[in-house]
Amino acid sequence: ASTAARTPLIPPKDLESFQQHLAKSTRILALLGAGLSASSGLPTFRGAGGLWRTHDATALATPEAFSRDPGLVWQFYSYRRHMALNAKPNPAHYALAELARKKDGFMTLSQNVDGLSPRAGHPAEKLKLLHGSLFDVKCSDFFCQYFESNNYTDPIVPALAIPTEEDPTTTEAIKARELDIADENVSLPELAIRDLPRCPTCKRGLLRPGVVWFGEMLPSGVLDDIDQWMSQPEKIDLIMVIGTSAKVYPAAGFVDSARAKGARVAVINMDRSDKPMGGMSKNDWFFEGDAAQIMPEILK
Ligand code: BV8
Ligand code: ZN
């Protein structure tokens, strides 16, 4: 198809005004959500095909769920590790990484734990993973400091191997598996605690995914870095809010903080109704469509 048919309809005047502003912007924030990785085949949390569609976030992504049924929670994260390892960064990840390299005053705040921004070559010092990573593991024992990053072992222990008779990334397999995970009385193979990953240091605690669960604090080092970046005297010229329903706090709160420092807001989202709290002003932009198609266009 001709390129016109392929690229989303971005209103030319919006594109022009955005690109003019971007060219003269020095301090730029990007807040990333699951929609950025949708085109890489990873399901988002809400919306069609979303992970939370068939299970309630609090049913799995909380410390309580892990202490109640660590096997079930590990199955959920092992499955997401497997999907993320089999996914590839898409053009939006690459376009953002390139812009981050070019602009000194650039900072990306990502809610995504899928590892795709680092794999797209995003400069690490300009990427803050607000909610950790699927590929960090740490000890669940309160007193133990064991922490391991870049653990790409899949499955992390044999007992967490995904049934290989089907491709776990196909829609029906995702659906079947989601329903399994969601439907508590469908008995998944009971995972014995002894089969789950154990901390090599204290030998007491089970290892857990290095992600931030609901009710948990965001990593203090990350919050300090962001605080330092935000409290520089210069204004913030732009915040791009990409593929996020901006419902989870404190992550979503950074949009307001950026506005308070003078930032204009550019939302890139499939769904026109998903605007960050505080609405949009005529100085803002809303680019509707797939981030994987829009980002390379607007950042050109
Ligand atoms: C904390 C890691 C307290 C784990 C995640 C009531 C009101 C307000 C707040 C709260 C409340 N009750 C509780 C809270 C606090 C809670 C919270 O905000 N809850 C929400 C649900 C209301 N927050 C917390 O618990 C946080 N901690 O508050 O600590 C505290 C304080 C002091 C001392 C101790 C403790 C911790 C939150 C972190 C939770 N962890 N992830 C994991 O991944 O399993 S959250 C997880 O969900 C993601 O990281 C992300 O943040 C969120 C999902 O949001 P999105 O990424 O936006 O994805 P979603 O599917 O929602 O949206 C996708 C969007 O993309 C849509 O808009 C869609 O239209 C769009 N899209 C789809 N496809 C595309 C697209 N766009 C472009 N292109 C496409 N192709
Ligand atoms: Zn330990």
Side-chain angles (χ1 to χ4, degrees):
S2 77
T3 50
R6 214 163 29 85
T7 38
L9 192 67
I10 301 179
K13 64 174 183 33
D14 292 0
L15 182 60
E16 193 192 338
S17 64
F18 175 79
Q19 289 183 324
Q20 274 168 2
H21 185 67
L22 179 64
K24 57 184 201 309
S25 292
T26 47
R27 280 170 48 79
I28 303 170
L29 272 179
L31 176 66
L32 313 183
L36 177 74
S37 301
S39 277
S40 298
L42 297 183
T44 61
F45 292 84
R46 295 169 183 79
L51 280 172
W52 300 147
R53 185 174 51 78
T54 49
H55 24 59
D56 164 4
T58 53
L60 286 165
T62 63
E64 294 74 22
F66 186 76
S67 50
R68 191 177 58 246
D69 189 345
L72 180 67
V73 173
W74 256 120
Q75 279 177 318
F76 178 58
Y77 282 96
S78 184
Y79 158 57
R80 287 173 61 198
R81 283 165 60 95
H82 183 79
M83 284 200 295
L85 286 170
N86 286 282
K88 290 187 183 50
N90 65 55
H93 293 104
Y94 288 109
L96 270 169
E98 195 194 328
L99 184 69
R101 274 194 294 276
K102 269 190 329 206
K103 293 262 185 182
D104 290 349
F106 195 95
M107 182 56 79
T108 295
L109 312 179
S110 181
Q111 301 171 96
N112 296 340
V113 296
D114 57 32
L116 293 184
S117 285
R119 279 173 54 193
H122 195 295
E125 71 284 1
K126 295 179 181 173
L127 174 63
K128 299 300 167 193
L129 299 182
L130 302 175
H131 297 155
S133 166
L134 291 170
F135 305 106
D136 293 343
V137 278
K138 63 185 187 181
C139 182
S140 58
D141 181 288
F142 183 79
F143 298 100
C144 180
Q145 307 297 318
Y146 180 79
F147 185 94
E148 178 192 359
S149 42
N150 306 323
N151 174 313
Y152 298 107
T153 322
D154 180 30
I156 193 161
V157 288
L160 285 167
I162 288 177
T164 46
E165 69 274 8
E166 73 213 352
D167 167 3
T169 57
T170 58
T171 327
E172 49 280 2
I174 287 179
K175 275 209 184 64
R177 194 169 169 75
E178 273 183 349
L179 291 178
D180 279 353
I181 291 181
D183 178 351
E184 307 236 323
N185 53 33
V186 165
S187 63
L188 287 172
E190 274 307 299
L191 278 181
I193 296 278
R194 69 175 175 285
D195 296 334
L196 295 176
R198 180 73 55 181
C199 174
T201 310
C202 73
K203 310 241 186 300
R204 254 187 340 268
L206 285 177
L207 290 184
R208 56 162 280 186
V211 298
V212 178
W213 280 328
F214 286 99
E216 292 188 320
M217 285 290 282
L218 274 57
S220 50
V222 165
L223 289 177
D224 294 348
D225 291 353
I226 297 170
D227 206 33
Q228 208 183 10
W229 194 91
M230 285 283 204
S231 44
Q232 287 171 29
E234 300 85 353
K235 71 188 276 273
I236 297 174
D237 302 298
L238 172 69
I239 179 166
M240 296 183 282
V241 182
I242 308 166
T244 179
S245 55
K247 289 190 180 68
V248 172
Y249 283 79
F254 291 119
V255 183
D256 288 336
S257 331
R259 273 201 194 97
K261 300 273 295 189
R264 294 174 69 175
V265 180
V267 177
I268 293 90
N269 200 303
M270 262 321 212
D271 179 345
R272 204 164 241 309
S273 64
D274 265 355
K275 294 181 170 61
M277 298 291 272
M280 309 273 291
S281 89
K282 62 178 179 11
N283 277 341
D284 298 332
W285 298 267
F286 193 106
F287 296 109
E288 183 179 356
D290 174 7
Q293 294 188 36
I294 291 182
M295 292 314 294
E297 291 292 311
I298 64 173
L299 298 187
K300 232 172 359 203

